[in-house]
Amino acid sequence: MPSSVIRTFFYDFDSQRLTVIFQSGRRYVYDAVPEIVYRELAAAPSTGAYFNENIRDNYQFRRFDQAG
């Protein structure tokens, strides 16, 4: 999963929330993301490309800036 854009991501199966932490330190939480989308992201040869094509602009999100 190495990516020049995404540092890491994780998924909450109960709430269907996908958290994405970018290399910049910005953290976004995407709501109502189906489990299959998370699994495809995890298996994608390019997580950044998959994210841009299938997640960004397709799900409501909240942005959290890194503190300090």
Side-chain angles (χ1 to χ4, degrees):
M1 175 198 81
S3 172
S4 61
V5 177
I6 296 174
R7 182 182 303 166
T8 191
F9 59 90
F10 51 92
Y11 185 71
D12 183 303
F13 291 90
D14 293 330
S15 66
Q16 290 191 310
R17 288 189 181 125
L18 175 68
T19 299
V20 179
I21 302 172
F22 292 90
Q23 295 293 356
S24 66
R26 289 183 178 157
R27 179 172 51 120
Y28 290 76
V29 177
Y30 293 84
D31 295 316
V33 176
E35 182 178 339
I36 187 66
V37 172
Y38 160 72
R39 293 193 183 279
E40 289 174 351
L41 176 65
S46 171
T47 54
Y50 183 90
F51 172 83
N52 285 331
E53 293 170 11
N54 298 285
I55 298 170
R56 189 177 126 200
D57 300 328
N58 290 318
Y59 297 95
Q60 289 187 329
F61 66 89
R62 292 178 310 287
R63 176 179 157 184
F64 299 88
D65 289 324
Q66 186 175 3

